Amino acid sequence: CWVCLGVCWSYNNSDIIYRQNSGKKDCQVFIIDSNFIGEAKHLFDCNNLPFFGEGVNNTNFVYSKLGYRNRDELAVLMNRNLITGEEYQISSPNLNSYGDKFLAHIEDKNKVVFERHQFGFSELYIADTEGGAQTHLYTTKNRIWSLNYDQKSNSLLWYDNVDNILYQYSLVSQKLLQKVSMQGVSGYSTTLPLSPSEMLATQYPYTRHIYQLSLDALNLENIAPHQPNTPNT
């Protein structure tokens, strides 16, 4: 029984890249047309690959890979050529950490954003897709599980689902623009900020509803309610 995991888009949104996994030793990555025309193409095997990245051009795919320096829990960013199969390391996490988790690719800047998960805190970094010009942006006590780039404001957006705070970080001034506290709003298992005033979220714990949250009106809209299975009569 195969399970599809880690769905993401190619750099031009014309293809879907996904992982199929039937166990720790049987994991593969495929690409298919976003209209599901034709057969899926196998890209590479992904044993010990917990996080996914994103296609950054026609040939390259940046992702996080476990097993760096022979440590099962330590992840490193890799850039893989999908044509030749060659790949190279583009980050160098310290050994007393959990390593680097891919968060976003900024196409017009040719940059990747990633989280370095340390013991007790996390750090936000940005670098070019070759691994150069690596810059530390921010340190936070909680994990950065997902992040989005807002082109209009040239800023990074992420939601802290422990303290219920939406962060907006300016890449121009390299400092926080704002922190929006969502006091009284229940926590979410996964989030995706769409803009400085809107966010998509899945409700915790595991009720499988998907909400769109407006930070202007502070209201929630259930856009994909979960329909429980009903027994046959």
Side-chain angles (χ1 to χ4, degrees):
C1 179
W2 286 89
V3 179
C4 293
L5 301 166
V7 175
C8 61
W9 294 97
S10 65
Y11 83 104
N12 56 6
N13 291 338
S14 64
D15 299 305
I16 296 173
I17 299 171
Y18 65 94
R19 177 179 63 172
Q20 286 187 335
N21 191 3
S22 63
K24 184 177 181 180
K25 298 297 183 181
D26 199 357
C27 175
Q28 295 175 301
V29 177
F30 292 86
I31 188 170
I32 191 170
D33 183 270
S34 59
N35 294 317
F36 298 98
I37 299 174
E39 296 183 359
K41 177 184 176 183
H42 173 264
L43 296 179
F44 57 93
D45 294 333
C46 55
N47 294 331
N48 295 323
L49 179 61
F51 310 123
F52 258 59
E54 181 176 317
V56 297
N57 52 42
N58 282 320
T59 60
N60 289 81
F61 183 72
V62 173
Y63 70 99
S64 298
K65 181 179 183 179
L66 274 181
Y68 177 58
R69 301 290 291 270
N70 295 319
R71 299 196 178 196
D72 291 342
E73 76 285 359
L74 189 58
V76 64
L77 284 191
M78 305 294 293
N79 190 326
R80 184 182 182 92
N81 187 299
L82 299 178
I83 297 176
T84 66
E86 296 178 341
E87 62 181 25
Y88 55 90
Q89 177 183 326
I90 63 173
S91 71
S92 298
N94 49 309
L95 296 182
N96 60 339
S97 73
Y98 294 105
D100 299 335
K101 177 180 182 288
F102 176 92
L103 290 173
H105 168 238
I106 306 175
E107 182 180 353
D108 60 352
K109 297 179 181 295
N110 197 34
K111 297 284 188 177
V112 291
V113 183
F114 61 95
E115 175 208 36
R116 180 159 294 165
H117 183 200
Q118 307 281 8
F119 292 99
F121 63 97
S122 288
E123 296 175 308
L124 187 65
Y125 282 88
I126 190 169
D128 62 42
T129 56
E130 303 296 318
Q134 180 175 305
T135 303
H136 172 268
L137 300 177
Y138 193 74
T139 299
T140 176
K141 65 179 181 179
N142 298 323
R143 295 295 308 273
I144 303 175
W145 296 107
S146 62
L147 177 146
N148 201 12
Y149 172 67
D150 183 61
Q151 187 175 28
K152 184 177 180 179
S153 62
N154 195 12
S155 62
L156 303 176
L157 303 167
W158 74 92
Y159 185 73
D160 182 336
N161 62 354
V162 175
D163 293 336
N164 292 331
I165 295 175
L166 177 68
Y167 288 84
Q168 183 179 8
Y169 184 94
S170 171
L171 291 179
V172 177
S173 59
Q174 293 197 355
K175 65 179 182 181
L176 285 179
L177 289 180
Q178 65 174 344
K179 294 167 60 176
V180 180
S181 178
M182 301 300 296
Q183 298 297 327
V185 178
S186 62
Y188 306 103
S189 57
T190 56
T191 60
L192 179 64
L194 302 178
S195 73
S197 62
E198 289 186 308
M199 180 177 70
L200 285 176
T202 55
Q203 193 178 38
Y204 183 88
Y206 314 118
T207 52
R208 290 180 288 179
H209 297 280
I210 297 179
Y211 288 86
Q212 180 169 312
L213 172 64
S214 170
L215 298 179
D216 292 326
L218 294 182
N219 68 309
L220 292 170
E221 178 185 358
N222 193 345
I223 62 173
H226 169 56
Q227 301 294 332
N229 293 329
T230 56
N232 294 328
T233 57

